[in-house]
Amino acid sequence: MLDSGTILTGMGVGLGSVAAEVFRVRPVASLPKAAKHSGDEALELESLKTAIAAVSLEMNDLAEKAGETSAEIFEALIMLLEDEELFETASAQISQGWNAGTAFINAVEEYADIFAGDTTFEERLNDIRDLARRVAASIAGISLGLDIPTTGRFVIVGEDFSPADTAQFTQAVVGVVTIQGGPTSHTAIICRSKSIPAVVSCQQAKDLVDGMQVLVDPVGDRVVVDGQESDITEALSFIAKSEDPIIPVRANIGSLEDAIAASASAAEGVGLFRTELLYLSAKTQPTKQSQATSYTEILKAAPAGPIVVRTIDAGSDKPVPFLDMGDEENPALGVRGFRLIENHRDFIVDQLESLEMAREQSGREVWVMAPMVSTYSEAIEFAALARESGNFKVGIMVETPSIVYQIAQLAGALDFISVGTNDLSQYLFAADRMNPSLGAMLNPWQPALLRALEQIAAVSQEAGVSSGVCGESASDPAFAVVLAGMGFQSVSSSRSQVGIVRQALSSVTKEQAKEVFEAALTGLDADQAKSAALAALAAISAK
Ligand code: PEP
Ligand code: MG
């Protein structure tokens, strides 16, 4: 039991704070392995029937909530679930000795083999497999969902949350604490964009239990047991000296809701539209038309200025169900981002073509970029595809150390580069961004990252390629000043940080930003670099 006043340290996300009750999210249970039954076939048949009925009810409920278009999909699924032939196939499996859950999963797989090649059926296959999992879960008496409360005010505490988990956050989630996950994890990204105060990589949070009261104090990088709002740590304040920031501040978005919210901020356009976030739970590949419709809506809603759209960055921490990427031992080093061009070229081309349709329909200025580019050839291949598909400015993300050394050779081929510091840190330090014990290496104030960024800004300038930063580091107002001091021409921040980042960048001249950057370079570790930069900023604001 943690005493009142105990301080749990982690890494803060955002500048807001909240005091509320703890809700521990149980880890999502995994399904039991395939197994035989004990010999009572009648009992297995009975439990299969009961589970099918229960899942049907669940589906009916979802259909009611889902509105007309999706309701039809649910109805079709319920018909399949209750299909007599499928039940017969499962019964035959039970007769062969398989328990009810395994039998139903096997039966669905038999169906899948029979209908292989039937494109309509294949499109639905993942949905049907999901049904089979639900039936098996119901038989095993386990829940596959997160079970987050929908009313009240809670700080939810868990190991870490995947993008699909964060999509289930309800209104009742007012604060988030994760035991694992680092400052660049998706929990951090989503919380920052939704202005949910969070502390990640807080290992002592394993001792928090339901019903405790905590203060989530991101500025102080801490969680305080029984803390009050009055105990929060004050954030550094910036006094704007000019109306406009020294470089444009754009917003990062991942949905229509984000685009609308970003429009209410002072963002000058969008510096990163993470398109994969639209498809994290899509079981089937969206058509070109449906993509064009979604993109048009989002482009129309986005804040005035250019909109930088990233083609799908699936894989590793962002699995996209309809893109089968197989199981990889080491997905962060595997086939992800633009490497999908090998097996999913059609999707990337579709995406670029539907973005062109959306560009025409919205009348907006669209820039496109590919994620996870590591070679000159990949960059050239993407540039050619993008220029064939539409009237865009074309760029790449700089997220791997290898591409840093070829930016100069890409002069003329690219219009811009955008640095993804989340992944660049991961690959520069060989430190998995999902690993909580490596959070310190992912701190953007690490001197090696600062020097890598300095080099990227300089070579881009020499090559005549416009450069920006869109990783989470650009959401830290003091760090954004350092980036401007290095020579980057824009930053893109989480939408909730746009105001404060603009303020910081309006409180200094370009020369002063350079002084802050040079001060940061005197640090031999991340803490020293940050303190030196903050001291330089404080001295400037005292002038
Ligand atoms: C990055 O890696 O910094 C980035 C912006 O991309 P993501 O966080 O979506 O991987
Ligand atoms: Mg990235």
Side-chain angles (χ1 to χ4, degrees):
M1 186 70 189
L2 294 168
D3 295 331
S4 181
T6 306
I7 291 175
L8 318 175
T9 53
M11 290 189 193
V13 174
L15 299 174
S17 61
V18 71
E21 187 180 329
V22 167
F23 178 86
R24 262 320 270 260
V25 174
R26 315 277 168 280
V28 174
S30 47
L31 286 176
K33 292 208 158 56
K36 299 268 170 145
H37 59 68
S38 54
D40 190 342
E41 282 185 29
L43 188 71
E44 296 299 316
L45 280 173
E46 206 40 53
S47 66
L48 181 56
K49 271 189 203 154
T50 313
I52 290 175
V55 175
S56 277
L57 271 180
E58 231 176 82
M59 291 289 117
N60 265 315
D61 256 12
L62 287 176
E64 264 173 38
K65 286 184 197 141
E68 257 172 58
T69 341
S70 321
E72 275 177 29
I73 298 175
F74 282 112
E75 277 161 26
L77 284 176
I78 295 168
M79 270 176 63
L80 230 149
L81 180 66
E82 293 175 347
D83 185 84
E84 278 179 26
E85 264 183 62
L86 182 60
F87 188 80
E88 290 308 316
T89 315
S91 311
Q93 290 279 336
I94 291 178
S95 305
Q96 287 167 32
W98 294 109
N99 68 17
T102 312
F104 198 71
I105 289 175
N106 291 351
V108 164
E109 290 308 319
E110 267 192 44
Y111 258 47
D113 287 345
I114 295 168
F115 288 100
D118 172 341
T119 45
T120 330
F121 182 81
E122 276 180 355
E123 277 186 13
R124 300 256 67 87
L125 200 55
N126 280 327
D127 292 349
I128 298 159
R129 286 194 168 122
D130 181 56
L131 280 182
R133 283 167 45 78
R134 283 171 187 262
V135 168
S138 167
I139 292 167
I142 57 178
S143 158
L144 294 176
L146 278 186
D147 282 339
I148 292 176
T150 52
T151 56
R153 295 175 77 254
F154 293 95
V155 170
I156 61 161
V157 180
E159 287 293 320
D160 192 15
F161 300 107
S162 70
D165 293 340
T166 56
Q168 295 175 53
F169 282 3
T170 63
Q171 299 281 4
V173 178
V174 295
V176 171
V177 178
T178 65
I179 297 161
Q180 307 209 9
T184 60
S185 66
H186 277 271
T187 303
I189 294 171
I190 297 293
C191 288
R192 203 173 272 120
S193 90
K194 293 190 167 182
S195 299
I196 302 176
V199 172
V200 298
S201 201
C202 179
Q203 306 202 8
Q204 300 144 287
K206 65 180 181 348
D207 297 325
L208 291 173
V209 294
D210 284 354
M212 280 174 142
Q213 289 290 323
V214 287
L215 170 73
V216 181
D217 179 22
V219 176
D221 291 319
R222 61 188 197 152
V223 176
V224 185
V225 177
D226 287 329
Q228 304 299 314
E229 298 266 6
S230 52
D231 302 331
I232 61 167
T233 313
E234 286 297 329
L236 190 73
S237 64
F238 299 95
I239 299 149
K241 297 198 180 121
S242 65
E243 211 168 292
D244 288 321
I246 50 175
I247 52 172
V249 180
R250 312 199 200 287
N252 289 354
I253 64 167
S255 64
L256 178 60
E257 187 202 348
D258 283 350
I260 294 168
S263 283
S265 75
E268 295 176 54
V270 166
L272 170 63
F273 168 15
R274 290 182 163 100
T275 56
E276 65 283 353
L277 298 188
L278 297 177
Y279 302 117
L280 289 178
S281 50
K283 306 259 167 63
T284 55
Q285 183 160 323
T287 62
K288 223 153 89 173
Q289 190 52 54
S290 80
Q291 287 188 62
T293 309
S294 314
Y295 302 150
T296 306
E297 266 187 328
I298 293 175
L299 294 185
K300 282 185 177 163
I307 302 165
V308 185
V309 185
R310 172 170 82 185
T311 53
I312 198 144
D313 185 19
S316 188
D317 51 330
K318 287 167 288 195
V320 170
F322 67 83
L323 295 172
D324 173 25
M325 288 176 291
D327 284 333
E328 286 185 318
E329 282 270 309
N330 209 339
L333 301 183
V335 181
R336 57 163 299 202
F338 189 62
R339 296 172 185 179
L340 262 70
I341 194 74
E342 204 59 45
N343 294 326
H344 296 284
R345 188 184 191 85
D346 57 332
F347 183 74
I348 294 175
V349 172
D350 269 12
Q351 214 184 5
L352 288 166
E353 290 177 357
S354 36
L355 278 166
E356 173 62 5
M357 286 154 75
R359 187 193 66 77
E360 281 176 353
Q361 278 166 33
S362 64
R364 298 298 302 267
E365 178 183 345
V366 178
W367 303 15
V368 293
M369 64 180 180
M372 277 292 294
V373 169
S374 18
T375 64
Y376 170 87
S377 321
E378 282 175 344
I380 295 295
E381 184 176 11
F382 176 73
L385 272 186
R387 295 198 198 280
E388 254 164 49
S389 311
N391 198 353
F392 311 116
K393 274 200 182 177
V394 176
I396 56 163
M397 290 195 72
V398 171
E399 301 186 283
T400 60
S402 60
I403 202 65
V404 174
Y405 301 100
Q406 292 207 287
I407 295 173
Q409 278 116 55
L410 288 164
L414 297 180
D415 301 308
F416 72 99
I417 57 124
S418 179
V419 187
T421 43
N422 307 338
D423 276 314
L424 185 59
S425 295
Q426 156 162 269
Y427 299 121
L428 195 59
F429 288 85
D432 185 344
R433 70 192 259 191
M434 307 296 284
N435 187 327
S437 28
L438 302 177
M441 288 194 196
L442 301 168
N443 184 330
W445 294 96
Q446 280 285 356
L449 182 70
L450 292 176
R451 285 168 199 275
L453 289 169
E454 175 189 23
Q455 183 179 359
I456 296 168
V459 289
S460 310
Q461 211 153 21
E462 272 165 37
V465 175
S466 151
S467 65
V469 176
C470 64
E472 290 307 287
S473 64
S475 294
D476 172 338
F479 201 83
V481 171
V482 167
L483 293 171
M486 288 173 182
F488 282 103
Q489 287 151 346
S490 68
V491 286
S492 188
S493 314
S494 172
R495 60 178 161 90
S496 65
Q497 299 288 106
V498 168
I500 185 83
V501 170
R502 266 184 73 92
Q503 209 167 340
L505 287 168
S506 309
S507 72
V508 290
T509 62
K510 278 201 176 164
E511 273 313 304
Q512 289 170 329
K514 198 158 174 240
E515 281 168 30
V516 178
F517 160 53
E518 279 163 3
L521 277 190
T522 61
L524 296 177
D525 62 26
D527 287 343
Q528 288 177 11
K530 183 174 178 178
S531 311
L534 294 185
L537 267 171
I540 289 166
S541 76
K543 273 184 198 159

XYZ file of all heavy atoms in Angstrom, residues 186 189 272 274 276 310 313 318 336 397 399 420-423 433 470-472, ligand 1:
169
model
N 2.831 5.468 -28.273
C 1.565 5.994 -28.787
C 0.639 6.469 -27.695
O -0.176 7.369 -27.904
C 0.935 5.036 -29.785
C 1.563 5.284 -31.112
N 1.065 6.197 -31.988
C 2.740 4.868 -31.614
C 1.893 6.296 -33.009
N 2.917 5.489 -32.804
N 1.642 9.982 -27.441
C 1.206 10.786 -28.600
C -0.293 11.084 -28.510
O -0.739 12.215 -28.672
C 1.546 10.050 -29.918
C 3.065 9.975 -30.074
C 0.914 10.746 -31.117
C 3.552 9.102 -31.207
N 2.093 17.028 -39.936
C 2.085 15.558 -39.982
C 0.655 15.065 -39.823
O 0.035 15.258 -38.776
C 2.939 14.963 -38.843
C 2.829 13.440 -38.628
C 3.320 12.665 -39.841
C 3.618 12.991 -37.387
N -1.003 11.640 -39.709
C -0.661 10.213 -39.621
C -1.831 9.413 -40.183
O -2.772 9.078 -39.450
C -0.448 9.802 -38.158
C 0.800 10.358 -37.495
C 0.908 9.829 -36.070
N 2.223 9.990 -35.506
C 2.571 10.968 -34.662
N 1.690 11.869 -34.277
N 3.799 11.032 -34.184
N -2.255 6.340 -41.022
C -2.521 4.979 -40.536
C -3.476 4.975 -39.346
O -4.156 3.986 -39.087
C -1.222 4.236 -40.183
C -0.410 4.800 -39.032
C 0.394 6.036 -39.403
O 0.429 6.391 -40.593
O 0.970 6.654 -38.496
N 1.347 11.996 -44.472
C 2.291 10.885 -44.518
C 1.567 9.657 -45.046
O 0.479 9.322 -44.556
C 2.813 10.621 -43.112
C 3.641 9.368 -43.023
C 4.328 9.260 -41.718
N 3.465 8.717 -40.683
C 3.831 8.623 -39.416
N 5.008 9.052 -39.029
N 3.030 8.096 -38.520
N 2.037 4.396 -42.345
C 3.208 3.955 -41.576
C 2.779 2.762 -40.729
O 2.677 2.853 -39.515
C 3.708 5.108 -40.690
C 5.006 4.742 -39.966
O 5.681 3.797 -40.409
O 5.342 5.405 -38.972
N 2.409 0.184 -34.817
C 1.137 0.571 -35.415
C 0.626 -0.496 -36.388
O 0.687 -0.314 -37.603
C 1.297 1.918 -36.136
C 1.415 3.080 -35.165
C 1.884 4.338 -35.839
C 3.338 4.230 -36.209
N 3.982 5.494 -36.539
N 8.276 -2.256 -42.338
C 7.324 -1.264 -41.840
C 7.500 0.020 -42.654
O 8.462 0.158 -43.392
C 7.514 -1.002 -40.340
C 8.878 -0.549 -39.959
C 8.927 0.086 -38.576
N 8.078 1.265 -38.496
C 8.243 2.234 -37.602
N 9.215 2.153 -36.720
N 7.451 3.276 -37.581
N 10.310 11.355 -44.612
C 10.623 11.533 -43.206
C 12.063 11.089 -42.983
O 12.517 10.115 -43.593
C 9.691 10.700 -42.325
C 8.288 11.241 -42.329
S 7.311 10.546 -41.003
C 8.002 11.332 -39.552
N 14.011 9.400 -40.357
C 13.783 8.660 -39.118
C 14.860 7.611 -38.878
O 14.857 6.946 -37.846
C 12.420 7.947 -39.169
C 11.254 8.882 -39.364
C 9.914 8.182 -39.272
O 9.537 7.498 -40.246
O 9.246 8.311 -38.240
N 11.415 12.771 -37.987
C 10.624 12.058 -36.976
C 11.582 11.713 -35.835
O 12.256 10.677 -35.874
N 11.643 12.587 -34.837
C 12.634 12.354 -33.773
C 12.302 11.131 -32.918
O 13.186 10.578 -32.274
C 12.776 13.599 -32.878
O 11.475 14.112 -32.606
C 13.620 14.669 -33.532
N 11.025 10.713 -32.920
C 10.674 9.539 -32.106
C 11.434 8.319 -32.622
O 12.091 7.599 -31.873
C 9.172 9.235 -32.190
C 8.316 10.439 -31.849
O 8.781 11.346 -31.186
N 7.080 10.441 -32.298
N 11.307 8.106 -33.935
C 12.000 6.950 -34.497
C 13.493 7.207 -34.661
O 14.302 6.298 -34.487
C 11.364 6.537 -35.830
C 10.155 5.648 -35.590
O 10.266 4.721 -34.766
O 9.090 5.891 -36.189
N 11.598 2.091 -28.709
C 10.805 3.185 -28.145
C 9.679 2.688 -27.246
O 9.044 3.470 -26.545
C 10.281 4.121 -29.246
C 9.209 3.554 -30.137
C 8.988 4.440 -31.353
N 7.818 5.295 -31.235
C 7.309 5.998 -32.249
N 7.880 5.987 -33.433
N 6.239 6.721 -32.087
N 8.750 16.904 -36.936
C 7.372 16.616 -36.549
C 7.288 15.563 -35.435
O 6.205 15.169 -35.039
C 6.546 16.165 -37.747
S 7.113 14.613 -38.445
N 8.436 15.112 -34.914
C 8.398 14.146 -33.799
C 7.912 14.840 -32.529
O 7.774 16.072 -32.498
N 7.703 14.061 -31.473
C 7.182 14.621 -30.219
C 8.081 15.716 -29.642
O 7.615 16.589 -28.924
C 7.023 13.512 -29.175
C 5.909 12.539 -29.484
C 4.592 13.221 -29.733
O 3.984 13.717 -28.771
O 4.157 13.279 -30.903
C 8.434 9.979 -35.422
O 8.909 8.838 -35.507
O 8.998 10.923 -34.819
C 7.122 10.277 -36.015
C 6.670 11.517 -36.074
O 6.386 9.216 -36.459
P 5.575 8.197 -35.467
O 5.686 8.716 -34.085
O 4.186 8.173 -35.974
O 6.326 6.926 -35.702
